[in-house]
Amino acid sequence: MTNQPNQPNQPNQPYDPYGQQPQAWPGQAYQQQGYEDPHAAQQYTQQWQGQTWETQNHQAVSAQAPDPETAILTPQSPRTPQGSAAPAGADASATGYGPATVGGNARVTAAQRARAEGRSPVIEPGLQPAVLTALLGLLLAGAAAVGTYALLVPLVVLQAVTAAGWFRLNGMWPARQGIALGFAGALAADAALLASGRSPSAILGTIGVWVLLALVLQLRSHADPDERMYGLMATVAASALAIVAGGYLAAAADAVTVGAVAVAVAVLARALPLPTPASVVVSLLAAAGAGIAMGSVTDLGTSGAFLGAGAAVCALIGHRVASYDYPSRFVHFTAGVALPLAAAAPAVYVLGRALA
């Protein structure tokens, strides 16, 4: 027998034909010695290297069940550019995202959010648009005193702003085809009025033709049925308002002078910082007074008060429409300027003929 080298006493282990000894798992030596290494297991634990959600910019969700309206209609500010991260600790309203809620955040309009919060969606144009309306009304009054073709200049401006403002008021922008169609209808009505000796039938005939034309154009559209219907209604309304504004061209010159000045005074009085009922009353009284003043320098006389008050009522309706549904600043400087004058055109024509 050959002598085997002396081996230290080891515990019984299974035979290993390749002469390899089992290796201890990292940290096992500490356990065999009766110690426990708290960091050994962490060194060989898989670490997730992917991106995780940023939780610092969201508010904690309470355990209480959220109100469905407040959970969904959470106010949101304009969103941050894509790919940019908000600074840590920033408020949720500054990052463009609402606070985390169970129900999620849906995109809502400012008018819907105002209604959900119990606020009115009506915002009046204010003093600056009222000044522009008054300036345009005075231009109409002065041009009417000069002559028919002089009246065309401020009238065409009024019709263009009316068509553009109505589309923007309905949230449809840019809508170049619809605005161009409405403005073209207004120009066609003006030409028909001049060709027919300023007969009001030219206005009605042009409206009928343009409704049919808008219907044909929308039928050729490839948009969704709901969008086509919405676009059709907006196009017809914008065209009708711009064409109806041509009533100043069909009315008598004295009626245009009295009515345009009355609208200018009424809109300026409506912009005063007064409660709404008091502001409306003051506006109507101021318009009636302006009608009497302008009637004294024209052939209408004291009957100008009725014409001024009637034109002011229509102008305030147009002013209210331009204030509805949380309009933007651009709406105020288009629809807020033009709609009071455009809405007053039929009253100026009808009352002018009745009181002449």
Side-chain angles (χ1 to χ4, degrees), residues 288 291-308 355:
I292 295 175
M294 296 305 300
S296 62
V297 298
T298 60
D299 295 336
L300 290 176
T302 56
S303 60
F306 297 99
L307 194 153
L355 299 174

Side-chain angles (χ1 to χ4, degrees), residues 268-350:
L268 286 177
R270 186 67 179 84
L272 296 176
L274 297 173
T276 300
S279 178
V280 171
V281 173
V282 170
S283 179
L284 294 177
L285 292 177
I292 295 175
M294 296 305 300
S296 62
V297 298
T298 60
D299 295 336
L300 290 176
T302 56
S303 60
F306 297 99
L307 194 153
V313 170
C314 296
L316 293 182
I317 293 175
H319 182 273
R320 176 72 175 187
V321 172
S323 307
Y324 187 70
D325 207 13
Y326 241 77
S328 64
R329 184 176 178 84
F330 188 87
V331 173
H332 285 164
F333 280 92
T334 52
V337 172
L339 284 186
L341 286 168
V348 170
Y349 172 78
V350 173

Side-chain angles (χ1 to χ4, degrees), residues 142-201:
V146 174
T148 301
Y149 290 96
L151 179 61
L152 277 175
V153 178
L155 178 60
V156 168
V157 175
L158 172 63
Q159 290 169 330
V161 178
T162 300
W166 184 260
F167 274 95
R168 190 62 185 91
L169 181 62
N170 286 268
M172 303 178 65
W173 190 266
R176 298 180 182 89
Q177 294 181 353
I179 295 173
L181 183 62
F183 183 56
L187 295 180
D190 295 343
L193 282 169
L194 294 176
S196 62
R198 300 194 301 177
S199 173
S201 60

Side-chain angles (χ1 to χ4, degrees), residues 180-253:
L181 183 62
F183 183 56
L187 295 180
D190 295 343
L193 282 169
L194 294 176
S196 62
R198 300 194 301 177
S199 173
S201 60
I203 295 178
L204 299 177
T206 306
I207 291 177
V209 172
W210 247 250
V211 168
L212 180 60
L213 181 59
L215 179 61
V216 172
L217 291 178
Q218 289 298 327
L219 289 176
R220 297 183 59 187
S221 175
H222 298 286
D224 295 334
D226 293 340
E227 294 181 1
R228 282 188 293 177
M229 180 59 68
Y230 190 62
L232 175 63
M233 298 305 297
T235 303
V236 170
S239 301
L241 286 171
I243 293 172
V244 165
Y248 288 109
L249 196 61

Side-chain angles (χ1 to χ4, degrees), residues 258 273 308 318 322:
V258 174

